[in-house]
Amino acid sequence: MNGRRRLDWLGLTPEPERELPAAVAALRASGTRTAEELAAAEHRRVERLVLRGSRHSWLRYLAEVTDLVTGVAAGTRTGDPAAALLAGEVVLDHHRMLIGLPGPGYGRTAADRTALESAVRALRTRPRAHTPTRTGGSR
């Protein structure tokens, strides 16, 4: 590595940066801030992670998202099931693609992949009024 920062983790897919902020904001919803304020704050956080973060900090953020998604799927956390499904699918796709990158990322996310697979399955079978449309990614 010669002291240079590894940036290969940034090239996986643009979906997390594009789709997660609004979905995660919906999952973090509170009565004190509007949906727009939460989405803007989440967008700034993701942008900061992408521009100045590391692989480790990015995976830590995605682990937080995994906790939100699995909590909604299990019913232990309130939140929009459609937003949880969207976030779960995006993070699961991301974690599956880590197999093609050097380093410990794929192994490190094994437990999260298992939890997300179960959560996504549960959220897909849950009745809901509206499911956001994904703008890209693999399935």
Side-chain angles (χ1 to χ4, degrees):
M1 208 161 88
N2 298 336
R4 291 180 22 208
R5 214 174 125 208
R6 289 196 67 125
L7 300 176
D8 53 2
W9 61 276
L10 290 173
L12 281 175
T13 174
E15 281 77 18
E17 186 179 359
R18 185 173 50 226
E19 296 180 345
L20 283 180
V24 173
L27 296 176
R28 294 189 198 272
S30 68
T32 60
R33 296 171 74 185
T34 68
E36 293 80 19
E37 290 172 330
L38 288 167
E42 202 65 35
H43 179 76
R44 284 189 303 275
R45 183 175 183 198
V46 168
E47 184 177 78
R48 193 170 45 251
L49 283 167
V50 168
L51 294 177
R52 293 185 267 301
S54 65
R55 178 191 316 231
H56 182 74
S57 62
W58 178 244
L59 291 179
R60 192 171 48 240
Y61 171 75
L62 295 180
E64 287 179 35
V65 176
T66 297
D67 289 343
L68 293 171
V69 170
T70 56
V72 171
T76 59
R77 175 181 186 81
T78 59
D80 178 5
L85 177 59
L86 175 63
E89 289 174 334
V90 169
V91 175
L92 185 56
D93 284 349
H94 175 279
H95 285 355
R96 286 175 174 158
M97 285 188 265
L98 288 172
I99 196 168
L101 295 181
Y106 188 76
R108 181 176 170 205
T109 60
D112 284 354
R113 278 194 313 278
T114 300
L116 285 166
E117 287 166 352
S118 177
V120 164
R121 202 170 25 257
L123 290 163
R124 282 182 181 156
T125 60
R126 183 183 287 183
R128 58 194 172 273
H130 171 66
T131 302
T133 303
R134 297 258 337 254
T135 59
S138 62
R139 285 217 200 207

